[in-house]
Amino acid sequence: MFKHVIVKTPGRSYVNGLTTSDLGTPNYDKALEQHAAYVEALKKCGVEVTHLPANEEFPDSTFVEDTAVLAPEFAVITNPGDVTRNKEIIEMEPILKGFYQTIHHINSPGTLDGGDVLQVDDHFYIGISDRTNEDGARQLKRIVESEGYKGTIVPLKEFFHLKTGIAYLGNEWIVAAGEFLDHPGFASFKKITVSAEDEYSANCILVNDYVIVPSGYEQTTRQLNDAGYKTIELEMSEFQKQDGGLSCLSLRF
């Protein structure tokens, strides 16, 4: 059960942030509305929300997930792979010190985005992507193993971040798309399979009694409901435009 969540309001500079999509420029006012709905959904899940103010210096800093990897016993401050995002960790570390006594760090030349890390019970899957390099992945693997967890490095072939295409829902269930549908590292899990057309919906999040899922993906939502999960659907269009998904917008612990 998660008790705490950290979120950060997008600033006006958000519309000029990084993206690889061709979905157009975000509508800032609509992004604020969608972010507010996201926060309300988290509260419905029974967590205490720490809501950080916007920082115009860092356009992408609403995507707080990339700044840290959190377990119940320790936090890891990451080293984001894009130079324009790297200093976001300076703002996040003092916040996490209010919750954690044990804090580790990913150090250069290693890079790591939190979006490339999926925790499955006592096991961390660590993606190697354009933002997370092998050095950073190996550093995190050593850290989690020193804390009594398991770590597996997963080189990505097609997804931007590891969690772009996979989510863990507990009880041996995963949501999987693309390269993870037949990935040998996840062969033992029960799968909710996501089609190429609905790929964006693979980035959903289990928060206590609910799975929060992007709206507009009826097949994914129906499969979640059929598997026994209660769902909350949220419009995410203005974050999808900047390569962002539901997991990206919060740190959950």
Side-chain angles (χ1 to χ4, degrees), residues 69 74 76 106 112 117 124 126 135-145:
V69 174
F74 64 91
V76 181
I106 303 298
L112 183 87
V117 183
F124 285 85
I126 309 158
D135 188 337
R138 291 192 179 280
Q139 286 185 48
L140 182 61
K141 186 175 188 292
R142 288 194 295 269
I143 289 168
V144 301
E145 288 175 348

Side-chain angles (χ1 to χ4, degrees), residues 66-242:
D66 288 324
T67 63
V69 174
L70 305 179
E73 307 88 355
F74 64 91
V76 181
I77 303 297
T78 65
N79 195 27
D82 191 279
V83 65
T84 66
R85 300 200 60 194
N86 197 261
K87 291 184 179 179
E88 292 174 25
I89 59 177
I90 298 172
E91 192 172 49
M92 185 57 68
E93 182 162 8
I95 303 300
L96 292 176
K97 284 183 176 178
F99 294 99
Y100 287 94
Q101 291 186 327
T102 301
I103 295 182
H104 302 276
H105 297 81
I106 303 298
N107 298 307
S108 295
T111 63
L112 183 87
D113 275 17
D116 279 318
V117 183
L118 176 70
Q119 184 177 358
V120 176
D121 301 325
D122 65 346
H123 198 142
F124 285 85
Y125 292 89
I126 309 158
I128 295 178
S129 69
D130 288 343
R131 299 286 178 85
T132 296
N133 64 20
E134 185 172 353
D135 188 337
R138 291 192 179 280
Q139 286 185 48
L140 182 61
K141 186 175 188 292
R142 288 194 295 269
I143 289 168
V144 301
E145 288 175 348
S146 75
E147 292 283 357
Y149 289 78
K150 300 172 186 175
T152 297
I153 294 175
V154 182
L156 302 184
K157 297 178 181 179
E158 57 185 78
F159 284 121
F160 180 69
H161 277 143
L162 180 78
K163 278 188 285 201
T164 303
I166 190 167
Y168 182 56
L169 303 180
N171 300 316
E172 299 299 312
W173 278 96
I174 61 171
V175 179
E179 64 189 281
F180 298 120
L181 290 172
D182 299 311
H183 195 290
F186 302 99
S188 65
F189 291 94
K190 296 174 285 187
K191 291 185 179 69
I192 290 172
T193 61
V194 177
S195 67
E197 295 78 14
D198 291 345
E199 204 169 77
Y200 183 71
S201 65
N203 183 260
C204 55
I205 51 174
L206 175 70
V207 184
N208 299 336
D209 294 331
Y210 296 90
V211 177
I212 305 177
V213 62
S215 62
Y217 300 94
E218 294 182 8
Q219 186 176 25
T220 302
T221 301
R222 183 171 59 252
Q223 288 185 79
L224 288 165
N225 295 152
D226 289 347
Y229 293 97
K230 294 185 290 185
T231 52
I232 300 173
E233 295 183 72
L234 294 178
E235 177 60 52
M236 290 291 292
S237 62
E238 305 315 297
F239 297 101
Q240 187 176 7
K241 290 174 180 177
Q242 304 297 79

